Amino acid sequence: MTEVTGAPADVLHTLFQSDQGGHEQVVLCQDRATGLKAVIALHSTALGPALGGTRFYPYASEAEAIADALNLARGMSYKNAMAGLDHGGGKAVIIGDSSKIQGAEREALLLAYGRFVASLGGRYVTACDVGTYVADMDVVARECRWTTGRSPENGGAGDSSVLTAFGVYQGMRASAQHLWGDPSLRGRKVGIAGVGKVGHHLVEHLVAEGAEIVITDVREESVRRILDKHPDSVSSVADTEALIRVEGLDIYAPCALGGALNDDTVPALTASVVCGAANNQLAHPGVEKDLADRGILYAPDYVVNAGGVIQVADELHGFDFDRCKAKASKIYDTTLAIFDRARTDGIPPAAAADRIAEQRMAEARAS
């Protein structure tokens, strides 16, 4: 396989394939003084400046980092379109172990990264993602004004996981309305895989409504925190493999990393609905049809988890929590519209969501 700028030919092929990629721009960033290696991918700016977070992750290779950036950027185009935002899709990845790069070394690296983002002149607006935090965005913002997800002390909105969880909750309510004719989740058994930044907020919404909740997480302290707070309404299982097989499960909520729905997990699912916060839940094309064939209703991840991006986009115009929450509450109506489109067109909900998003982007390009 021919290597070009460190990226295998198949990665570059994906970049220029309109059906899989169609990306406008990819920037490879390197700063030798700080050790920064990063990829900034802009999939589309048809609706406005590309908006998406910065992932800080120890990729096995540069090619893997590029592929992830391309995939995540494309997903952000669809997410922002379905959220009704005037933003295209972009994503950045920094190659490295976020947990091990701290202090002055981390600060210098993030400042260098901020200079690369600034060099794009506003075509890309960055924010937090896996491995980056509000404090990191405060550092990046010192070199780049096109930064959001900052702390309230520095003019930002702070943690976006609150509204991300609220949006997923609205997606669950819409799923219940579509499938059972009632948006109430009272008495429904909901399994949540991952109760970290987003998942633990989701638990609170479900507890307040009277749902029965089963949780799991690779971090025992995260599980213990919730069990101690809600001993009567929340129980736990050992791992995700056990969770997807829980008897009588109504809703399964993947809230950790992507790829949760695959050839092994879909046949084992006991839930009637999948609605969670994790990005890129479908491990490969065709999984959405496998879910539909089993009669499992899938609420597209990039639709229901858009509360966070709604918040960081609003921050660019002077953050107002009530305004953001009102926008995030519309995820309920958007999810119902997707289910209706899927039924009308005879396609899975994931395909219906893609069609609606692609239509909005096409109309913007044509105008």
Side-chain angles (χ1 to χ4, degrees):
M1 183 176 293
T2 303
E3 297 281 337
V4 183
T5 63
D10 62 340
V11 173
L12 297 179
H13 179 69
T14 299
L15 168 62
F16 291 114
Q17 281 282 69
S18 61
D19 57 339
Q20 301 174 44
H23 296 70
E24 294 180 8
Q25 184 177 9
V26 176
V27 181
L28 305 182
C29 312
Q30 180 170 231
D31 182 72
R32 295 186 184 280
T34 63
L36 172 73
K37 287 185 178 181
V39 182
I40 303 172
L42 308 186
H43 177 260
S44 171
T45 57
L47 294 171
L51 170 63
T54 298
R55 180 165 294 190
F56 200 155
Y57 190 78
Y59 294 95
S61 67
E62 289 87 353
E64 184 181 308
I66 294 169
D68 200 31
L70 294 176
N71 187 40
L72 291 167
R74 182 177 184 274
M76 288 306 303
S77 287
Y78 285 73
K79 177 183 288 191
N80 293 339
M82 288 304 301
L85 301 176
D86 295 326
H87 284 282
K91 205 78 169 186
V93 301
I94 296 174
I95 303 171
D97 191 334
S98 175
S99 66
K100 294 180 179 178
I101 301 175
Q102 300 295 331
E105 180 186 6
R106 187 184 188 94
E107 181 182 23
L109 183 146
L110 290 171
L111 289 172
Y113 168 69
R115 291 191 288 273
F116 278 110
V117 176
S119 73
L120 295 174
R123 281 174 51 78
Y124 170 58
V125 180
T126 196
C128 301
D129 196 73
V130 174
T132 59
Y133 306 91
V134 170
D136 294 326
M137 293 305 106
D138 285 343
V139 174
V140 173
R142 285 158 52 189
E143 292 284 356
C144 175
R145 64 189 180 92
W146 295 287
T147 306
T148 185
R150 294 164 297 158
S151 67
E153 296 78 15
N154 286 280
D159 185 9
S160 64
S161 61
V162 174
L163 285 181
T164 302
F166 179 70
V168 174
Y169 170 63
Q170 296 303 321
M172 286 185 179
R173 294 181 63 248
S175 300
Q177 173 64 43
H178 180 81
L179 194 61
W180 300 305
D182 186 345
S184 174
L185 300 173
R186 178 170 294 279
R188 296 292 178 190
K189 184 180 286 189
V190 182
I192 304 176
V195 286
K197 286 201 293 187
V198 175
H200 85 274
H201 290 299
L202 182 58
V203 167
E204 297 302 319
H205 290 296
L206 296 170
V207 167
E209 192 161 343
E212 179 184 349
I213 306 156
V214 187
I215 63 173
T216 191
D217 196 296
V218 295
R219 299 171 297 276
E220 177 59 33
E221 63 272 18
S222 297
V223 172
R224 179 50 50 194
R225 175 179 60 172
I226 291 173
L227 293 180
D228 289 346
K229 187 175 182 180
H230 302 291
D232 297 328
S233 52
V234 182
S235 60
S236 68
V237 292
D239 52 32
T240 301
E241 291 297 314
L243 182 64
I244 62 174
R245 293 172 171 81
V246 168
E247 185 176 350
L249 199 65
D250 292 303
I251 302 173
Y252 169 52
C255 293
L257 294 177
L261 303 172
N262 55 50
D263 295 336
D264 295 324
T265 58
V266 170
L269 272 174
T270 59
S272 302
V273 172
V274 176
C275 179
N279 287 309
N280 302 320
Q281 292 171 25
L282 303 176
H284 61 78
V287 175
E288 67 273 25
K289 185 178 184 301
D290 295 337
L291 289 164
D293 288 346
R294 287 207 59 215
I296 299 172
L297 182 65
Y298 172 62
D301 49 35
Y302 68 79
V303 175
V304 302
N305 69 12
V309 76
I310 288 171
Q311 175 172 316
V312 295
D314 190 81
E315 183 181 313
L316 297 170
H317 309 286
F319 178 65
D320 182 282
F321 182 82
D322 292 335
R323 179 174 63 202
C324 278
K325 189 172 183 180
K327 290 180 182 177
S329 68
K330 294 179 182 178
I331 289 173
Y332 175 87
D333 297 319
T334 301
T335 306
L336 281 179
I338 289 166
F339 294 151
D340 289 342
R341 176 71 176 267
R343 178 187 289 160
T344 299
D345 292 0
I347 56 177
D354 286 354
R355 286 186 182 181
I356 296 171
E358 287 162 3
Q359 181 179 348
R360 183 171 184 234
M361 287 186 277
E363 290 172 351
R365 283 191 291 268
S367 62

